[in-house]
């Protein structure tokens, strides 16, 4: 027994595992043990580790048996099993605990990442033979690890030396000039992991993180390097190893590394050639016919057209039915012609100086959008393609495309983005230079903004206008911004069409598989300057000398296919001639046209919306009182399962106060807004409210999402539970972005006219970081692109002593961009108000009552057309005791009041009123309070202008006539050079004076005029005072001119306010 115990001490570290280290109890302990683990080094074995519990010699046998085996071995080593012989030999020789036992060879297949040691036998040599000590040669292990590191190096850094530049000048990440690196692998890729030349023909087992072997499990180092070079360092360079998901990394590896993965059929090659011929032929045709015209052609990157078509083909094959596209101007005409298949006649007429058949100002041909439904001939499935119109602000269209895509997905019930997708094209300089790209990427995975994956294609000209990339970006690649959302980036040489097609198919499959963004960077060049009449040799002489000697990609690919025997020279010429003939026929047809039609270029048609409507009839905006009560009670009640849903005590107080208001038939601002939304939802209208902190409201007034105080993410949205068949309500806090999110909501609003889409600024002046969307799209979108939108912008506005950045929504900017004529008083008629709304570019209002806010929101849907609504919304009025409305102002037969006249004592005796003040918004309550304090209610009348633009000439004229003996003044809290004053002053003059020209402006009998009866009235006559009447003038009351919107001093603010009130109420 003693001997057995001695032997046992040389086993695995059992002694430390035995309770209380009692050697005499080891046998009983063995019998009780279920999990003794032992690590074993192998010599001629297949596994490097083994579990002791599975071995027969320690499976519960008695200590007597072990001692008997030992005694027998001492007498004759051959009398025991070879495994016991080996164990006792090693134990007697002083082997360390755990090193004495050796498992017998196993016939089982090696596991994942395991290597049969027999496969290393030829490499071990005599010194490393298993019989002499049992240790594997360390060099073998190190070499295998080095090979694994090399494979990973290519996957991570192979793109750095890929042959991406078709001009052969620079590597794509600008790290060095292009040079031939065939032969020894590049140091920047493999770093210190390279093996010796003598190792090149050694065979290494491939790890599970590569697919270069195909069905082979091991390859020579030379073959491994060759296959990695072909996969990662030829004409495709891929950045993907920063992605955190192993599944996604392996998916990309498989698509790139599998042997023969890029082989395509002769039929596919001919299709690429035909598409490339059309793309090249289109640009050549335009260059011949209109050599001096700007068209921002695609020369140098004609492969974009086959690339886009490959993405569309693969996507439609995978189930996509609608694709929304956004792009800059380069190549737009070619995309419209050859991707969307817009009739060539419509494109060619844009080059002719023809008069437009529609009203609107139009836009240059390379900014226009379109909408096409057609059959995809490759997949034999119908596809809808929309190219969104875009100004010269290259990337501004990105969030608009995403919003339009998201809306289409929403209305189709496409919750996973399987049927509708977005495709965005970019230029290299803009992609890395414009911040909106980053903002748009950060919407890509937000629950209420995701489009479930966008395919981005960068047309990388390796230049921005005249600026060298080395001076236009700090990042290695122009696409590095995409890394923030773990989007894989495929760089590809534009002069290898088959590589481009391969990458496009991978991108489409990636989007369909993972529903995440992906970037294709087509590294190309620009054969002309920034436009066709620009001279690039001034600034890039070396690059353009090289470009002049570079053959077109069509010539290169044609030659390659002729050499491969895929096509003949005659077939190549025949394809070119056929497309040339198509272009010529369309050109002749286009010359017969006498007008251009802007509506041919509409990117978001609203089928059936305008038809059968009275173009000047507004639906009523008042609702039944029962509806108001029902919505008010739902908004004032806790969740139905209130016992389990714990809401905040403060929210309980808010709900109680709402219920009290409903019972007293009054509403405050938040309740009025909720009733506007709720009544539209009852009618089946989709309502969407988006922006920073809108769920609660910046000023903690809205509370459209109630949060369980004890359970994370448990919420209740009262407006989603009003009626069983109501429209859907979406309220969503956005990312801290204005440019991106306002653009997104504009795109959303373009998709469906029967939806109320609202964007709220956290504070009004925060809209200035979205000024590009306001200027280029919202203000002028209909005039340029015949595209209507009913988007509502809510801009908290008002000077309340909170400093310059939390006071003004810059009302003056919106009014300055309003398109109504200050010198023209339209003919008065029953349709005066709606005709004004029809003719203007947008509506600007500053409501002072919840009821008017309720009506103006509902009017957005009640109008027979759509106009953007710019609302100045209050801050202090949200809780002002007087800023409340009765149900009587919201029920049936009530409507939005463009002007709210004085309803106090002054209105009872207008002839004795000495002063008539006009104002808008919150300042009314300041003026009213001061008037009461000074007992001037009978001397001074105060009228509120609620809709500032279009200007209510008719009501202003009526008010002024009512108080015929009163002096007139405009009071505002903003500085004199801000706010409404500069807008209203000339319009008051027109409404009051007979000296202004009141003839209507000359208008074309255009598309929208025909549709909405916008024809000018030749019988219009002046309703103004006769020239003999002394004209009345309006004076200004308010703060003097200022550079800053407001003071930062509370004391100074109060001082300025008191001066304003003194001035306004002086007689």
């Amino acid at each position: 027994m003693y001997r057995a115990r001695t032997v046992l001490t040389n086993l695995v570290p059992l002694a430390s595992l035995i309770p209380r280290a009692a050697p005499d109890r080891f046998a009983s302990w063995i019998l009780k043990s279920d999990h003794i683990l032992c690590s074993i080094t192998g010599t001629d074995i297949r596994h490097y580790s083994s579990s002791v519990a599975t071995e027969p010699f320690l499976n519960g046998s008695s200590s007597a048996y072990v001692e008997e085996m030992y005694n027998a071995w001492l007498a004759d080593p051959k009398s025991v099993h070879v495994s016991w012989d080996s164990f006792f030999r090693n134990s007697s020789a002083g082997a360390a605990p755990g090193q004495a036992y050796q498992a017998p060879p196993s016939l089982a297949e090696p596991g994942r990442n395991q290597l049969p040691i027999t496969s290393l036998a030829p490499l071990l040599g005599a010194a490393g033979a298993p019989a002499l000590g049992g240790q594997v040669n360390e060099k073998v292990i190190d070499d295998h690890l080095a090979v694994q590191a090399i494979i990973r190096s290519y996957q991570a850094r192979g793109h750095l030396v890929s042959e991406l530049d078709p001009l052969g000048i620079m590597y794509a990440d600008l790290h060095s000039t292009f040079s031939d690196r065939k032969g020894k692998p590049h140091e920047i890729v493999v770093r210190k992991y390279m093996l010796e030349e003598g190792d090149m023909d050694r065979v290494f087992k491939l790890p599970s993180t590569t697919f270069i072997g195909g069905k082979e499990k091991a390859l020579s180092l030379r073959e491994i390097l060759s296959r990695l070079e072909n996969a990662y360092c030829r004409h495709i360079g891929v950045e993907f190893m920063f992605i955190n998901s192993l599944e996604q990394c392996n998916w990309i590896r498989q698509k790139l590394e599998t042997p023969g993965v890029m082989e395509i059929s002769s039929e596919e090659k001919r299709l690429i050639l035909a598409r490339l011929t059309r793309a090249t032929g289109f640009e050549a045709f335009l260059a011949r016919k209109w050599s001096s015209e700007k068209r921002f052609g695609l020369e140098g990157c004609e492969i974009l057209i086959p690339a886009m078509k490959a993405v569309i083909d693969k996507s439609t094959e995978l189930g996509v039915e609608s694709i929304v596209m956004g792009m800059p101007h380069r190549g737009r005409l070619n995309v419209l012609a050859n991707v969307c298949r817009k009739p060539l006649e419509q494109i060619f007429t844009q080059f002719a100086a023809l008069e437009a058949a529609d009203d609107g100002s139009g836009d240059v041909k390379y900014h226009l959008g379109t909408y096409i439904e057609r059959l995809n001939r490759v997949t034999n499935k119908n596809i809808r393609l929309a190219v969104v119109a875009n100004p010269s602000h290259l990337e501004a269209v990105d969030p608009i495309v995403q919003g339009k895509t998201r809306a289409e997905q929403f209305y189709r019930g496409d919750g996973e983005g399987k049927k509708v997708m977005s495709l965005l094209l970019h230029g290299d300089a803009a992609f890395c230079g414009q911040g909106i790209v980053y903002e748009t990427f950060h919407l890509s995975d937000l629950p209420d903004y995701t489009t479930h994956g966008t395919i981005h294609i960068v047309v990388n000209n390796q230049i921005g206008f005249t600026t060298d990339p080395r001076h236009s970006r700090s990042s290695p690649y122009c696409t590095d911004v995409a890394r923030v959302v773990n989007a894989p980036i495929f760089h590809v040489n534009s002069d290898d069409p088959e590589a481009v097609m391969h990458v496009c198919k991978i991108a489409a499959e990636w989007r369909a598989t993972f529903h995440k963004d992906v970037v294709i960077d087509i590294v190309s060049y620009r054969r002309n300057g920034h436009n066709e009449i620009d001279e690039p040799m001034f600034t890039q002489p070396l690059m353009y000398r090289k470009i002049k000697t570079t053959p077109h990609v069509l010539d290169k690919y044609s030659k390659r296919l002729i050499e491969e025997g895929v096509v003949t020279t005659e077939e190549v010429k025949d394809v070119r001639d056929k497309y040339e003939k198509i272009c010529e026929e369309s050109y002749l047809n286009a010359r017969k046209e006498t007008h251009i039609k802007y509506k041919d270029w509409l990117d978001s048609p609203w089928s059936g919306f305008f038809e059968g409507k009275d173009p000047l009839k507004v639906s009523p905006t008042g609702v039944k009182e029962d509806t108001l009560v029902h919505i008010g009670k739902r908004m004032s009640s806790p969740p139905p399962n209130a016992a389990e849903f714990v809401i905040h005590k403060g929210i309980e107080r808010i709900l109680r106060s709402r219920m009290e208001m409903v019972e007293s038939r009054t509403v405050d601002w938040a309740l009025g807004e909720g009733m506007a939304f709720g009544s539209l939802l009852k009618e089946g209208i989709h309502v969407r409210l988006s922006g920073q902190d809108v769920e609660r409201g910046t000023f903690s007034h809205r509370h459209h999402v109630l949060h369980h105080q004890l359970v994370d993410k448990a919420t209740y949205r009262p407006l989603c539970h009003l009626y069983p068949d109501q429209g859907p309500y979406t309220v969503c806090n956005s990312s801290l972005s204005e440019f991106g999110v306002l653009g997104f909501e504009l795109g959303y609003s373009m998709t469906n006219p029967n939806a109320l889409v609202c964007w709220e600024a956290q504070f009004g002046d925060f809209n200035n970081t979205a000024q590009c969307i306001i200027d280029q799209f919202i203000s002028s979108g209909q005039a340029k692109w015949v595209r209507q939108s009913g988007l509502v912008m809510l801009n908290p506005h008002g000077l309340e002593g909170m400093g310059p950045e939390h006071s003004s929504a810059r009302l003056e900017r919106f009014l300055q961009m309003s398109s109504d004529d200050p010198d023209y008083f339209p003919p008065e008629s029953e349709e005066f108000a709606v005709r004004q709304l029809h003719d203007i570019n947008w509506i600007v209002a500053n409501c002072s009552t919840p009821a008017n806010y309720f009506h103006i929101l509902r009017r957005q849907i009640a109008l027979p057309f759509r106009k953007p609504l710019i609302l100045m919304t209050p801050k202090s009025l949200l809780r002002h005791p007087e800023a409340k409305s009765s149900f009587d102002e919201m029920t049936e037969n009530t409507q939005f009041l463009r002007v709210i006249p004085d309803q106090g004592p002054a209105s009872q005796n207008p002839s004795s009123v000495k002063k008539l003040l006009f104002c808008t918004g919150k300042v009314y309550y300041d003026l009213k309070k001061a008037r009461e304090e000074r007992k001037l209610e009978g001397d001074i009348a105060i009228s509120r202008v609620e809709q500032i633009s279009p200007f209510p000439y008719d009501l202003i004229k009526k008010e002024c006539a009512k108080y015929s003996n009163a002096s007139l003044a405009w009071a505002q809290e903003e500085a004199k050079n801000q706010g409404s004053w500069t807008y209203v002053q000339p319009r008051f003059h027109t409404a009051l004076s007979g000296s202004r020209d009141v003839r209507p402006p000359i208008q074309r009998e255009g598309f929208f005029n025909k549709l909405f009866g916008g024809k000018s009235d030749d019988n219009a006559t002046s309703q103004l005072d006769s020239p003999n009447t002394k004209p009345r003038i309006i004076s200004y009351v308010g703060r003097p001119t200022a550079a800053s919107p407001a003071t930062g001093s509370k004391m100074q603010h109060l001082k300025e306010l008191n001066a304003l009130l003194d001035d306004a109420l002086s007689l």
Side-chain angles (χ1 to χ4, degrees):
M1 196 62 192
Y2 167 76
R3 288 172 180 167
R5 281 202 302 272
T6 306
V7 171
L8 257 290
T9 58
N10 288 322
L11 278 172
V12 281
L14 294 178
S16 63
L17 299 174
I18 297 172
R20 304 183 186 277
D24 57 330
R25 285 186 249 152
F26 75 89
S28 56
W29 176 78
I30 286 174
L31 289 166
K32 290 176 189 172
S33 283
D34 350 327
H35 53 276
I36 310 165
L37 297 179
C38 174
S39 177
I40 304 168
T41 56
T43 53
D44 56 344
I45 58 178
R46 288 181 179 269
H47 294 284
Y48 298 114
S49 61
S50 180
S51 171
V52 170
T54 65
E55 304 305 336
F57 88 106
L58 275 181
N59 65 355
S61 301
S62 67
S63 56
Y65 174 68
V66 177
E67 187 169 22
E68 186 183 327
M69 285 290 105
Y70 184 59
N71 288 331
W73 177 77
L74 287 174
D76 180 7
K78 292 181 180 177
S79 66
V80 297
H81 189 270
V82 66
S83 60
W84 283 107
D85 179 36
S86 171
F87 169 69
F88 290 134
R89 279 180 191 279
N90 291 338
S91 180
S92 301
Q99 299 291 315
Y101 175 69
Q102 293 172 331
S106 168
L107 297 176
E109 281 293 312
R112 188 175 172 83
N113 283 335
Q114 289 182 331
L115 184 71
I117 203 162
T118 50
S119 67
L120 304 179
L123 308 170
L124 293 173
L132 305 175
Q135 296 298 315
V136 175
N137 188 324
E138 283 188 14
K139 182 179 185 317
V140 175
I141 295 171
D142 288 346
D143 287 354
H144 268 79
L145 291 174
V147 168
Q148 290 202 26
I150 288 169
I151 291 169
R152 183 177 176 84
S153 297
Y154 272 96
Q155 293 166 345
R157 294 186 297 279
H159 59 87
L160 294 174
V161 294
S162 299
E163 299 168 358
L164 299 175
D165 185 1
L167 301 176
I169 299 173
M170 295 288 289
Y171 285 122
D173 72 334
L174 312 178
H175 67 76
S176 62
T177 52
F178 203 84
S179 60
D180 184 10
R181 348 146 323 286
K182 289 172 187 170
K184 188 176 180 182
H186 207 285
E187 190 180 334
I188 196 169
V189 177
V190 297
R191 294 182 178 166
K192 62 182 187 296
Y193 297 116
M194 200 49 226
L195 302 180
E196 304 297 323
E197 179 61 34
D199 296 320
M200 283 296 174
D201 295 316
R202 281 173 58 193
V203 174
F204 292 88
K205 185 179 186 299
L206 298 171
S208 59
T209 53
T210 186
F211 296 86
I212 55 172
K215 294 179 180 177
E216 298 175 82
K217 304 295 184 192
L219 292 172
S220 69
L221 178 57
R222 193 181 307 281
E223 186 62 22
I224 289 172
L225 292 173
S226 170
R227 294 190 186 188
L228 289 170
E229 286 273 324
N230 282 326
Y232 292 108
C233 303
R234 290 296 175 240
H235 292 151
I236 299 173
V238 195
E239 295 179 88
F240 70 100
M241 292 294 281
F242 51 79
I243 296 174
N244 300 321
S245 163
L246 178 62
E247 179 197 1
Q248 291 173 10
C249 285
N250 278 339
W251 188 92
I252 293 171
R253 289 173 179 136
Q254 189 165 10
K255 295 290 179 185
L256 291 166
E257 297 178 357
T258 305
V261 77
M262 278 187 60
E263 292 171 8
I264 61 173
S265 68
S266 297
E267 197 57 45
E268 289 175 288
K269 291 180 181 182
R270 281 195 287 270
L271 180 63
I272 296 170
L273 180 66
R275 288 173 167 178
L276 195 50
T277 302
R278 283 176 167 252
T280 308
F282 180 80
E283 298 296 352
F285 186 81
L286 295 186
R288 275 202 315 280
K289 297 293 183 184
W290 296 281
S291 56
S292 59
E293 280 263 9
K294 283 185 189 178
R295 54 188 166 80
F296 295 95
L298 202 51
E299 289 97 336
C301 192
E302 295 92 342
I303 196 64
L304 172 68
I305 302 303
M308 290 178 71
K309 290 176 84 78
V311 167
I312 292 167
D313 290 347
K314 180 54 74 172
S315 298
T316 51
E317 182 188 315
L318 296 168
V320 171
E321 297 170 4
S322 178
I323 298 177
V324 183
M325 295 183 273
M327 66 179 297
H329 41 275
R330 181 162 314 287
R332 181 178 284 259
L333 297 180
N334 208 325
V335 168
L336 293 174
N338 287 312
V339 176
C340 300
R341 297 211 206 111
K342 187 168 187 65
L344 293 176
E345 290 87 347
Q346 291 178 14
I347 295 173
F348 294 161
T349 52
Q350 287 288 323
F351 285 91
L354 300 177
E355 192 176 341
D358 323 80
D359 32 341
S361 55
D363 201 349
V364 291
K365 51 192 163 291
Y366 40 81
H367 287 170
L368 300 174
T370 198
Y371 174 87
I372 299 276
E373 277 193 61
R374 67 170 177 81
L375 181 73
N376 184 313
R377 292 171 191 157
V378 173
T379 58
N380 208 32
K381 291 182 179 179
N382 278 324
I383 182 78
R384 292 181 184 181
L385 301 173
V387 178
V388 179
N390 186 39
S392 282
H393 299 66
L394 298 174
E395 299 290 341
V397 77
D398 296 356
I400 290 165
V401 167
Q402 301 296 60
K404 183 171 162 55
T405 305
R406 171 71 185 208
E408 272 203 44
Q409 290 173 350
F410 178 82
Y411 295 123
R412 281 168 165 253
D414 183 18
E416 296 178 9
K418 291 181 176 178
K419 293 180 180 175
V420 185
M421 67 171 262
S422 52
L423 177 61
L424 285 175
L425 273 61
H426 313 268
D428 52 318
F431 196 58
C432 59
Q434 297 283 304
I436 187 59
V437 176
Y438 182 84
E439 289 188 33
T440 306
F441 266 118
H442 271 290
L443 297 176
S444 67
D445 223 11
L446 303 183
D448 290 299
Y449 300 87
T450 180
T451 56
H452 307 284
T454 299
I455 298 177
H456 301 263
I457 301 179
V458 180
V459 176
N460 189 343
N461 295 315
Q462 306 184 80
I463 188 170
F465 204 149
T466 66
T467 305
D468 188 295
R470 289 168 293 192
H471 298 147
S472 67
R473 67 174 187 256
S474 299
S475 60
Y477 293 101
C478 65
T479 52
D480 285 346
V481 63
R483 294 170 71 115
V484 299
V485 292
N486 273 347
I489 302 162
F490 297 90
H491 309 280
V492 61
N493 187 320
S494 66
D495 274 10
D496 185 345
E498 290 175 20
V500 177
M501 296 311 110
H502 181 60
V503 158
C504 290
K505 286 173 188 171
I506 293 175
E509 289 171 357
W510 165 274
R511 194 259 170 200
T513 305
F514 299 109
H515 295 286
K516 290 187 172 291
D517 286 30
V518 56
V519 178
I520 302 167
D521 175 25
I522 304 178
V523 184
S524 57
Y525 56 90
R526 197 182 63 197
R527 197 165 278 278
N528 301 308
H530 178 64
N531 57 60
E532 286 69 26
I533 51 179
D534 191 51
E535 177 48 78
M537 291 287 282
F538 291 157
T539 50
Q540 273 75 31
L542 300 179
M543 183 185 206
Y544 274 85
R545 200 169 293 136
K546 180 83 175 182
I547 288 172
K548 282 178 181 176
T549 61
T550 302
H552 286 81
V553 63
L554 176 61
D555 297 335
K556 289 183 179 179
Y557 193 56
S558 302
K559 184 181 175 186
R560 176 174 154 190
L561 294 192
I562 291 167
E563 288 171 355
E564 290 178 9
V566 175
V567 292
T568 63
T569 311
E570 291 72 28
E571 286 174 320
V572 171
K573 184 176 183 301
D574 186 45
V575 173
R576 288 189 190 192
D577 292 346
K578 273 184 182 172
Y579 189 67
E580 174 75 18
K581 187 182 176 190
I582 291 169
C583 290
E584 281 291 351
E585 287 172 1
S586 299
Y587 176 70
L588 293 173
N589 293 334
R591 294 185 67 176
K592 297 171 189 172
E593 291 288 336
T594 55
H595 289 81
I596 55 170
K597 299 183 182 73
Y598 295 146
K599 69 180 190 314
D600 287 342
W601 301 80
L602 189 58
D603 55 23
S604 304
W606 292 339
S607 178
F609 176 67
F610 297 109
E611 287 79 9
K613 276 190 180 159
D614 182 341
L616 295 175
K617 187 177 190 312
V618 184
S619 303
T621 56
V623 298
K624 291 180 179 175
E625 186 164 334
D626 290 349
T627 303
L628 298 177
V629 171
H630 175 79
I631 295 167
K633 285 187 174 178
R634 279 296 170 100
M635 285 188 68
S636 311
S637 304
N641 59 337
E644 297 110 42
F645 196 102
V646 183
I647 58 176
H648 193 277
K649 298 294 182 193
I651 299 289
E652 287 179 358
R653 283 196 304 274
I654 291 169
L655 295 180
R656 278 197 302 272
S657 69
R658 279 183 185 170
M659 188 64 83
E660 287 165 10
M661 278 191 286
V662 173
E663 287 166 356
S664 62
R665 299 182 68 252
T666 58
V667 297
D668 64 0
W669 204 270
L671 202 49
E673 178 189 71
M675 287 179 174
F677 290 172
S679 57
L680 289 171
L681 293 169
K682 181 177 188 259
E683 295 163 21
I685 300 296
H686 171 41
V687 178
R688 177 181 169 95
L689 173 62
S690 163
Q692 293 157 18
D693 312 296
V694 296
E695 294 178 6
R696 189 201 77 169
T698 301
F699 310 103
S700 195
H701 68 288
R702 184 173 286 125
H703 299 289
H704 282 192
V705 180
L706 306 183
H707 291 262
H708 197 308
Q709 296 297 295
L710 303 177
V711 181
D712 184 35
K713 295 179 183 174
T715 60
Y716 175 70
R717 301 170 187 236
L719 287 179
C720 294
H721 305 281
L722 298 175
Y723 300 96
D725 56 349
Q726 68 173 64
Y729 178 55
T730 305
V731 56
C732 46
N733 292 338
S734 73
S735 65
L736 204 69
S737 151
E738 291 84 26
F739 192 165
V741 177
L742 179 59
F744 186 96
E745 300 309 328
L746 174 63
Y748 202 104
S749 73
M750 284 159 39
T751 306
N752 180 2
N754 297 313
L756 183 71
V757 180
C758 308
W759 174 82
E760 183 174 69
Q762 193 177 62
F763 285 93
D765 60 336
F766 289 7
N767 67 45
N768 57 17
T769 61
Q771 198 68 47
C772 177
I773 297 293
I774 295 166
D775 292 355
Q776 301 298 326
F777 294 90
I778 301 176
S779 165
S780 56
Q782 183 177 338
K784 293 192 290 191
W785 307 314
V786 210
R787 182 172 77 195
Q788 296 190 15
S789 164
L791 179 71
V792 179
M793 285 181 66
L794 305 174
N795 305 281
H797 173 81
L799 279 68
E800 291 166 359
M802 300 306 292
E805 272 67 63
H806 294 99
S807 297
S808 173
R810 293 295 189 177
L811 171 60
E812 63 277 1
R813 290 183 182 163
F814 295 102
L815 293 173
Q816 184 211 1
M817 288 190 280
S818 292
S819 63
D820 59 334
D821 186 347
D823 301 333
Y824 173 54
F825 193 136
E828 289 189 75
S829 65
E830 283 185 17
E831 296 99 17
F832 183 91
V834 68
R835 193 179 287 275
Q836 269 195 311
L837 294 175
H838 166 261
D839 291 343
I840 203 163
N841 60 327
W842 59 17
I843 305 161
V844 183
N846 190 3
C847 299
S848 61
T849 70
N852 239 9
Y853 180 47
F854 167 86
H855 281 296
I856 201 167
L857 288 175
R858 285 185 49 79
R859 190 180 72 174
Q860 282 298 96
I861 298 298
L863 288 170
F865 45 82
R866 293 291 173 259
K867 296 285 174 176
L869 172 61
I870 314 300
L871 274 177
M872 302 295 117
T873 55
K875 292 173 284 187
S876 62
L877 293 195
L878 297 172
R879 294 178 178 81
H880 197 290
E882 290 191 48
K884 290 185 178 173
S885 298
S886 163
F887 281 5
D888 294 333
E889 300 168 57
M890 301 161 69
T891 50
E892 291 170 298
N893 302 317
T894 60
Q895 62 179 359
F896 174 71
L897 302 175
R898 292 175 292 145
V899 172
I900 301 179
D902 193 299
Q903 292 159 337
S907 65
Q908 309 302 319
N909 189 10
S911 58
S912 63
V913 170
K914 297 172 183 174
K915 194 171 195 176
L916 172 57
L917 285 175
F918 288 97
C919 66
T920 185
K922 174 191 77 80
V923 74
Y924 164 75
Y925 293 94
D926 297 325
L927 292 167
K928 181 170 180 276
K929 183 183 177 188
R931 183 179 66 172
E932 287 169 3
E933 289 170 352
R934 302 177 196 205
K935 306 281 192 295
L936 294 171
E937 292 99 321
D939 298 316
I940 296 175
I942 306 173
S943 287
R944 287 169 268 174
V945 180
E946 301 278 292
Q947 177 182 291
I948 310 168
S949 177
F951 192 70
Y953 289 102
D954 54 336
L955 300 179
I956 296 293
K957 177 193 166 194
K958 187 177 170 185
E959 278 295 285
C960 295
K962 180 178 178 180
Y963 302 96
S964 54
N965 299 323
S967 62
L968 306 176
W970 175 266
Q972 67 176 39
E973 57 181 351
E974 302 90 353
K976 190 175 184 179
N977 59 323
Q978 298 164 26
S980 308
W981 173 242
T982 51
Y983 177 85
V984 301
Q985 184 191 20
R987 288 165 176 81
F988 266 103
H989 193 86
T990 297
L992 298 169
S993 165
S995 62
R996 291 291 177 120
D997 175 17
V998 296
R999 296 292 294 170
I1002 296 170
Q1003 296 184 3
R1004 284 199 300 269
E1005 179 66 3
F1007 170 68
F1008 271 96
N1009 279 327
K1010 285 176 186 167
L1011 190 60
F1012 293 117
K1015 187 175 179 181
S1016 60
D1017 184 353
D1018 292 334
N1019 299 318
T1021 55
S1022 170
Q1023 298 90 11
L1024 308 184
D1025 301 326
S1026 68
N1028 300 325
T1029 309
K1030 184 180 177 183
R1032 297 170 76 182
I1033 60 167
I1034 187 158
S1035 58
Y1036 170 78
V1037 172
R1039 289 174 168 85
T1041 57
S1044 175
T1047 175
S1049 159
K1050 188 77 173 177
M1051 185 63 71
Q1052 178 66 19
H1053 167 75
L1054 295 172
K1055 192 174 168 185
E1056 290 173 359
L1057 178 61
N1058 289 329
L1060 185 160
L1061 298 174
D1062 290 344
D1063 194 6
L1065 300 175
S1066 64
L1067 293 171

